[in-house]
Amino acid sequence: MNKKITLLFFISVTAIVFFLFFPVTSIAQQWGLYTLYATKSGTKAYLIDTADVPSTYHQWTFNTSKKSGYSAYLMPGDTLVRTYTYTGNVLNGGGMTGGVQKALWDGTVVWDYVYSSSTYCIHHDICPLPNGNVLMISYDVRTSAEATQAGCSTSMPGGIWSDKIIEVHPTGPTTGTIVWEWKLWDHLCQNYSSAKDNYVTSIVNNPQLMNINYNTQKDFWHMNGIDYNAALNQIVVSAHFMNSVFVIDHSTTTAEAAGHTGGNSGKGGDFIYRWGNPASYGATGTTNFNVVHDAHWVPSDNPNYPNYLAAYNNQGGTGGKTAIDIWNPPYSGNNYSLTLGQAYAPATYTYRYNTVFTATNEGNSYQLPNGNMLVNNFQGSIYEVNASGTTLWTKTAANSTHAYRYSKCYVRGPVASAGVSLSSICSGTQITLSSSAVSVTETSPAYSYSWASVPSGYTSASQNPSDIPANSTTYLVTITNTSIGCSDTAHVFVNVNSSPTTPTISQNENTLTSSTALTYQWYLNSVAIPGETNQNMEAVTDGTYQVEITEANGCVAISAPFSFIYTGITDVASNNSPVVFPNPTNCSIIISGSKNIKAILTNAMGAILESGENVNMIDLSEYSNGIYYIAITSENGLVSNQKIILIK
């Protein structure tokens, strides 16, 4: 209310516009525009327009042999990710799925992944990740002998259905690679038999492990809800028969996830937090849940409970009704505070919303950015309530999967991308930026472009502008579909390498030497000399020489011009030795200064190309640019070896 009063106090056009288009939490208006759900055990998924009649904005229809399972999610742009019941499942039980699909806006299935056998099968919830991978809960079947060896105090003739979490990276239309895996079986404890695995003397002093002898049955734990927190790089899951939620570290490798050290938390794959039922790890305190589903983090943009944890308390509310419980975990860096031997804080929930129905299984909630909440009673309806519990919108949707609310721009906004002609350049190089957008839900998108940079200083309204960055820069482009007022931002990074130090040239008689670099190219009168790519070069004629160097980053620098006056060939036997000119040459050479001479022309590899006596000219026009050598024997028997440079 204070925010509303402040707006009214500063009566102005700006304030009124802000009030109309950016309602504050206390106004309790409906948030967002589109609600997504699929019909469980059905073949359709719906995107409901909460402000329009008829209300179905979009619909997906799937193959009748692949009926929707537990949950469905819409990724930005257009991709629906859903679970379905695989008809070839060997394992059977509540929440069993076996298959995951990704479908585009037009219904095209671009990924259909099955993870199902006699020893494993995905079930209940999934969590699409920002990188395109998908987290999945799977059964992990263990034999009776394994259960006994693990320290189970009860005979389990049919074995145990443990749980695991896999992260799958799509690799093809029906294939995927498990890039990360966590198994509950690696994190058990028991104080029943010191002769068996997982023995500890105290359960309460090992809350990071699961007591295998708590609530023993075939489907021991029955995990059912999963969420991922990108900022923390952590996963939260809910477990039906444990009346608890658990947080694990996702920053581990698969090897670390199987152990008790490593990752940001330093605890490997052990639980770093658990809540809801202290008795499950031998601590005293109130059992908060009576069947729990849908463990998740409240989004950070929620004004009331940002980054709190929430869960669907199926029968734990007033009078055994369903409740939505929200609580603030005791964050402590990458871990959670705990006094060993006691229950994890807090002692009870921070906020509870009591419903008027009892959903004995399944269901979910979603906390919205204006403080409202979407509640899914999968047995009958989906509805939105404000912070005081007033119902603002209702949709009859019997037997629905999880339901989620999205803004107009989340559904219909453009998906921007950015690129650059060169991602790593040398200082002074021009780059061309590029951008594009896709709006698959729109028939006539009209785009505007706005470029900015970090560090700041660059702006442009062009789609594909150019720049000459002086330093390494991140370029950001915001693309707006002006027809609906929705935007998306993409970025691209350009690494700018500094230019190398300008090389210098030193002279020792007719030898020129460059300062040290990675590679060299010598020039005479601004023309590259073929083959002269060493640090040292023997100059054979007057002129202006330069050397161009390259450093490890690929950047080049060229020396200042160096004037050279030829002082003679060092290996000429006497002043009566023949003279070869012009050198360098672009066609032929003339030999003068002696009679009755013999000349032999070779290439840089020593192969003889020309030879003869009384030779006074050699035509080089048929040869390639490069370095050649001529050996001249004069009439007095003296030999002169000279290097010839051919530049045509």
Side-chain angles (χ1 to χ4, degrees):
M1 185 61 69
N2 290 338
K3 293 182 180 179
K4 181 179 178 183
I5 293 172
T6 301
L7 287 172
L8 293 176
F9 180 78
F10 294 97
I11 298 295
S12 68
V13 172
T14 301
I16 292 173
V17 169
F18 182 89
F19 177 76
L20 290 174
F21 290 95
F22 299 93
V24 294
T25 302
S26 58
I27 305 305
Q29 294 179 343
Q30 188 177 321
W31 183 88
L33 190 59
Y34 299 110
T35 300
L36 173 75
Y37 72 94
T39 304
K40 191 170 183 292
S41 300
T43 60
K44 297 184 184 300
Y46 303 93
L47 198 59
I48 303 301
D49 187 339
T50 63
D52 192 22
V53 178
S55 62
T56 300
Y57 175 72
H58 190 70
Q59 175 179 304
W60 291 263
T61 301
F62 301 99
N63 190 296
T64 55
S65 65
K66 298 182 178 181
K67 296 181 178 180
S68 293
Y70 188 83
S71 54
Y73 299 88
L74 185 64
M75 304 307 291
D78 72 329
T79 303
L80 182 78
V81 188
R82 69 160 192 144
T83 60
Y84 70 87
T85 303
Y86 174 56
T87 56
N89 284 339
V90 177
L91 303 178
N92 291 292
M96 200 72 69
T97 56
V100 175
Q101 284 185 335
K102 288 187 176 184
L104 303 182
W105 187 256
D106 63 2
T108 301
V109 174
V110 293
W111 191 52
D112 190 329
Y113 179 76
V114 172
Y115 190 75
S116 177
S117 75
S118 61
T119 58
Y120 57 80
C121 185
I122 55 176
H123 62 94
H124 288 87
D125 202 8
I126 59 174
C127 182
L129 297 178
N131 62 3
N133 297 349
V134 182
L135 290 174
M136 307 177 189
I137 301 171
S138 172
Y139 281 120
D140 179 25
V141 177
R142 300 291 173 159
T143 65
S144 175
E146 286 179 298
T148 299
Q149 184 59 39
C152 184
S153 60
T154 303
S155 175
M156 303 296 296
I160 289 178
W161 288 12
S162 184
D163 280 299
K164 63 181 177 179
I165 298 170
I166 58 174
E167 179 182 344
V168 181
H169 172 67
T171 56
T174 61
T175 58
T177 299
I178 297 175
V179 296
W180 184 85
E181 185 174 41
W182 173 90
K183 295 179 180 180
L184 180 56
W185 201 254
D186 295 324
H187 305 282
L188 303 177
C189 69
Q190 53 89 14
N191 60 354
Y192 166 68
S193 173
S194 61
K196 301 300 182 182
D197 297 340
N198 309 307
Y199 179 76
V200 296
T201 57
S202 170
I203 298 296
V204 72
N205 287 334
N206 288 278
Q208 78 280 7
L209 304 172
M210 183 74 82
N211 181 7
I212 193 173
N213 292 315
Y214 182 84
N215 193 32
T216 306
Q217 56 185 318
K218 182 183 76 171
D219 188 355
F220 257 39
W221 301 289
H222 200 79
M223 291 181 172
N224 51 41
I226 185 168
D227 190 28
Y228 174 68
N229 188 311
L232 298 173
N233 203 0
Q234 295 175 4
I235 296 169
V236 63
V237 292
S238 47
H240 180 138
F241 295 122
M242 300 303 295
N243 288 322
S244 300
V245 302
F246 302 87
V247 177
I248 59 176
D249 189 347
H250 179 260
S251 72
T252 58
T253 64
T254 294
E256 290 171 335
H260 311 289
T261 59
N264 294 337
S265 67
K267 296 183 178 180
D270 287 346
F271 305 133
I272 55 177
Y273 180 65
R274 61 196 296 175
W275 194 80
N277 181 10
S280 65
Y281 54 101
T284 59
T286 303
T287 298
N288 192 76
F289 298 122
N290 184 0
V291 181
V292 60
H293 287 77
D294 183 41
H296 66 273
W297 273 278
V298 177
S300 59
D301 60 359
N302 183 273
N304 300 325
Y305 310 106
N307 300 312
Y308 284 38
L309 283 168
Y312 197 85
N313 197 346
N314 291 84
Q315 300 172 64
T318 302
K321 301 294 185 181
T322 295
I324 311 300
D325 288 346
I326 299 174
W327 69 98
N328 189 17
Y331 292 113
S332 178
N334 293 309
N335 284 286
Y336 298 77
S337 298
L338 173 68
T339 300
L340 200 62
Q342 299 182 15
Y344 274 102
T348 189
Y349 50 82
T350 303
Y351 169 78
R352 167 172 284 180
Y353 169 71
N354 281 294
T355 73
V356 296
F357 61 84
T358 300
T360 56
N361 279 294
E362 304 187 23
N364 82 296
S365 70
Y366 188 38
Q367 288 67 41
L368 304 174
N370 69 341
N372 292 354
M373 181 164 59
L374 194 70
V375 179
N376 175 24
N377 171 14
F378 79 98
Q379 296 171 328
S381 65
I382 304 166
Y383 62 95
E384 180 183 356
V385 296
N386 61 20
S388 63
T390 302
T391 300
L392 306 177
W393 174 88
T394 302
K395 170 67 178 179
T396 300
N399 205 30
S400 62
T401 63
H402 282 192
Y404 296 95
R405 176 69 58 79
Y406 303 105
S407 67
K408 178 183 76 171
C409 289
Y410 184 95
V411 173
R412 299 172 58 186
V415 176
S417 61
V420 66
S421 55
L422 296 169
S423 60
S424 184
I425 63 172
C426 300
S427 180
T429 303
Q430 179 172 289
I431 58 168
T432 300
L433 299 164
S434 60
S435 66
S436 62
V438 176
S439 297
V440 297
T441 66
E442 306 304 297
T443 56
S444 301
Y447 298 127
S448 66
Y449 306 87
S450 178
W451 287 90
S453 65
V454 179
S456 61
Y458 180 80
T459 60
S460 176
S462 299
Q463 180 179 1
N464 305 312
S466 297
D467 190 28
I468 303 177
N471 302 293
S472 295
T473 302
T474 297
Y475 292 89
L476 304 97
V477 60
T478 299
I479 303 178
T480 301
N481 182 351
T482 56
S483 60
I484 60 174
C486 293
S487 303
D488 188 34
T489 298
H491 68 275
V492 64
F493 178 75
V494 177
N495 180 54
V496 179
N497 297 298
S498 59
S499 297
T501 302
T502 301
T504 58
I505 298 174
S506 59
Q507 179 182 355
N508 181 13
E509 295 184 350
N510 294 331
T511 301
L512 303 181
T513 301
S514 169
S515 52
T516 302
L518 182 66
T519 66
Y520 310 87
Q521 174 61 61
W522 289 89
Y523 289 78
L524 173 60
N525 300 329
S526 301
V527 177
I529 305 174
E532 291 293 358
T533 57
N534 296 317
Q535 186 175 8
N536 300 315
M537 188 205 74
E538 183 182 347
V540 295
T541 188
D542 296 352
T544 300
Y545 289 83
Q546 289 176 281
V547 64
E548 182 181 73
I549 64 168
T550 304
E551 289 194 342
N553 56 22
C555 295
V556 299
I558 193 165
S559 70
F562 184 89
S563 295
F564 173 79
I565 298 176
Y566 182 67
T567 60
I569 303 300
T570 58
D571 63 347
V572 173
S574 71
N575 292 333
N576 294 322
S577 296
V579 176
V580 179
F581 65 93
N583 188 15
T585 182
N586 61 7
C587 181
S588 60
I589 56 174
I590 296 174
I591 305 170
S592 66
S594 183
K595 297 180 180 180
N596 301 317
I597 64 171
K598 180 179 179 180
I600 299 175
L601 180 72
T602 62
N603 61 18
M605 303 301 294
I608 297 176
L609 304 176
E610 306 271 356
S611 66
E613 296 182 358
N614 298 319
V615 176
N616 59 19
M617 186 185 75
I618 298 177
D619 184 3
L620 303 179
S621 60
E622 64 179 283
Y623 300 118
S624 301
N625 286 351
I627 296 175
Y628 298 85
Y629 296 90
I630 186 168
I632 304 172
T633 304
S634 64
E635 59 185 348
N636 58 11
L638 297 177
V639 177
S640 171
N641 294 300
Q642 299 188 37
K643 178 169 63 176
I644 307 299
I645 298 174
L646 175 62
I647 306 176
K648 292 189 289 186

